[in-house]
Amino acid sequence: MSPTVAIVGGGYGGAAVAKALQDEADVVLIDPRDAFVNAAGALRALTRPDWAGNMFFPFDRLLTRGRVLRDRAVSVDPTGVALASGGRVAADYLVLATGSDYPHPGKPAAVTVREARDDFLRTHKELRGAERVLILGAGPVGLELAGEIKEVWPEKRVTVVDPAEELLPGFGAELVADLRRQLDGLGVELRLGAGLREAPGTEPCRAGEFTVTTTTGEEIGADIWFRAHGESVNSGYLADGRLVTRTENGRVPVTERLNVRGHERVYAVGDLTDVAEAKMAGFAMRHAEVVAENIGAQLRGERPTAEYRPLPHPVVLLPLGTRGGVGQLPSPEGPVTATAEMVAEYKGADLFTARFTEQFGPTAA
Ligand SMILES: Cc1cc2nc3c(=O)[nH]c(=O)nc-3n(C[C@H](O)[C@H](O)[C@H](O)COP(=O)(O)OP(=O)(O)OC[C@H]3O[C@@H](n4cnc5c(N)ncnc54)[C@H](O)[C@@H]3O)c2cc1C
């Protein structure tokens, strides 16, 4: 009998580990969802609900050999996973990959493709009739959302508010200036260095007129608002401390080989980890390669030696609709600025649908 590798969470990191190890071990992938979610597609799924199916890759087509269990981990110890259903998966190797949640529409809260698509459609209908849109948060998610809205409804007034003084801290002045120029061209209004004195009087993602006052004293009226900040780590199932003590902000401490500290056969990948870098899908997938290599070595009776080293500079691919945007990519010589055409080609045109179709099978569209 082959050793069992239990993977908790089938996002970018977990799905990639499962796929990589399915021929070498008995892989069990545990996730309450019925599909891998490509969060990068979420904002377009909101503005173009007919496109939304492209961001989901059903789990029943992901693995050719392993098993996918539609369940939720409620506790993990070094020998296995306790499930919300009451069951248990005993494992020789464990990979924790439960990532993070993000407020709607950034990541779907619903666990089935059907319900998640219904949620996008409901919010789309609320947004469609709104003339003025307020977005709280000018990070990549808030700005991408502004770009997607402007591409479908150029006439809508879109305002993005953020207490930070500048866009994309850590990136070069030229990239930031280009981003500001493109946002200006789209007519997206930025209010930086400004918080809100009070929360909007309506629920996020719901149509309804309201006025808010910024900390700089400006009144902004809008017909709908979105929260584009407030990611939360999914690590509640580790709170009992049977496996590890989480860091102060709920992340899992890992070694350079991505072992959960203190455990040679337990690994963690992606947003869940305390690796000192921005939390990104691209990095979760690089973590997955390192972990698959290390478990692969252990399965063959060899010593695991693959190590993960964060990039020494920040990277970003920030499309503004299907044609615009800014980017900075890694290269052996250091960071390279991506033109709007490159951003569109690498991400904006299809939001990685083709790449994930190749890796994870057909979409739910
Ligand atoms: C709108 C948006 C756009 C983005 N665009 C980009 C981009 O272009 N490029 C980029 O690099 N990053 C992007 N990101 C960031 C990226 O989505 C995250 O870094 C990425 O999701 C992290 O992947 P992960 O594998 O750690 O976990 P996740 O993708 O968060 O997946 C975690 C999985 O674990 C499951 N899970 C949770 N709890 C449990 C449990 N208790 N038991 C079992 N399963 C569980 C969940 O259902 C989920 O399927 C974007 C984020 C957002 C919100």
Side-chain angles (χ1 to χ4, degrees):
M1 222 174 74
S2 303
T4 298
V5 179
I7 298 160
V8 188
Y12 296 93
V17 175
K19 190 95 184 163
L21 290 177
Q22 62 176 343
D23 294 330
E24 297 178 59
D26 277 338
V27 164
V28 183
L29 178 63
I30 302 159
D31 198 302
R33 297 187 182 280
D34 60 2
F36 162 74
V37 170
N38 173 25
L43 309 173
R44 191 163 298 165
L46 166 67
T47 58
R48 301 178 190 189
D50 53 332
W51 183 90
N54 287 302
M55 68 174 282
F56 300 102
F57 296 78
F59 280 136
D60 57 11
R61 304 169 193 162
L62 176 78
L63 300 177
T64 46
R65 307 192 59 169
R67 252 186 327 140
V68 181
L69 274 188
R70 276 199 65 195
D71 213 323
R72 188 180 288 279
V74 290
S75 177
V76 174
D77 65 68
T79 62
V81 184
L83 302 170
S85 63
R88 180 180 164 81
V89 175
D92 303 288
Y93 297 88
L94 279 161
V95 182
L96 309 182
T98 44
S100 58
D101 284 346
Y102 198 93
H104 180 68
K107 281 186 177 178
V111 295
T112 66
V113 173
R114 217 183 71 195
E115 287 166 300
R117 289 194 67 168
D118 284 350
D119 289 344
F120 282 121
L121 187 58
R122 193 173 314 114
T123 308
H124 173 87
K125 287 178 181 161
E126 302 275 334
L127 170 61
R128 207 165 49 193
E131 286 174 15
R132 299 163 304 165
V133 181
L134 176 64
I135 297 172
L136 302 185
V141 175
L143 299 180
E144 264 194 64
L145 175 58
E148 292 294 331
I149 292 173
K150 277 291 190 181
E151 182 154 299
V152 175
W153 299 284
E155 71 288 357
K156 283 194 198 300
R157 183 170 179 181
V158 177
T159 308
V160 188
V161 175
D162 199 304
E165 296 289 339
E166 192 44 281
L167 298 176
L168 300 187
F171 288 89
E174 256 178 56
L175 183 144
V176 174
D178 186 20
L179 177 58
R180 275 180 168 275
R181 189 185 51 72
Q182 293 190 43
L183 288 166
D184 218 36
L186 293 172
V188 173
E189 297 180 35
L190 286 178
R191 299 289 182 271
L192 298 181
L196 294 189
R197 284 205 182 137
E198 72 287 332
T202 58
E203 290 291 306
C205 311
R206 292 277 176 202
E209 205 176 327
F210 64 90
T211 303
V212 283
T213 311
T214 67
T215 45
T216 56
E218 186 187 355
E219 285 200 343
I220 301 175
D223 307 305
I224 193 166
W225 68 281
F226 295 99
R227 193 193 304 278
H229 63 91
E231 172 202 89
S232 55
V233 189
N234 291 325
S235 66
Y237 63 99
L238 299 170
D240 60 15
R242 296 185 69 199
L243 182 76
V244 68
T245 303
R246 293 172 296 166
T247 64
E248 247 173 35
N249 50 15
R251 299 195 193 272
V252 170
V254 291
T255 66
E256 286 177 337
R257 287 188 204 131
L258 300 178
N259 285 106
V260 173
R261 285 201 183 276
H263 300 281
E264 286 192 349
R265 294 181 172 212
V266 185
Y267 293 83
V269 295
D271 285 10
L272 180 68
T273 67
D274 73 342
V275 177
E277 63 187 0
K279 298 301 166 195
M280 297 185 71
F283 297 154
M285 299 188 86
R286 285 187 52 221
H287 298 174
E289 286 172 22
V290 169
V291 167
E293 202 176 318
N294 282 335
I295 295 180
Q298 286 171 305
L299 290 169
R300 292 187 300 274
E302 297 163 14
R303 234 168 53 82
T305 54
E307 291 189 350
Y308 179 76
R309 299 211 189 282
L311 289 172
H313 55 78
V315 291
V316 71
L317 270 176
L318 198 171
L320 294 171
T322 50
R323 292 178 299 273
V326 296
Q328 178 166 292
L329 300 168
S331 87
E333 290 80 42
V336 174
T337 303
T339 61
E341 292 72 33
M342 286 160 78
V343 176
E345 188 190 331
Y346 296 160
K347 180 173 172 190
D350 79 343
L351 303 176
F352 306 133
T353 307
R355 171 189 171 161
F356 288 118
T357 304
E358 211 170 278
Q359 187 166 3
F360 295 147
T363 71

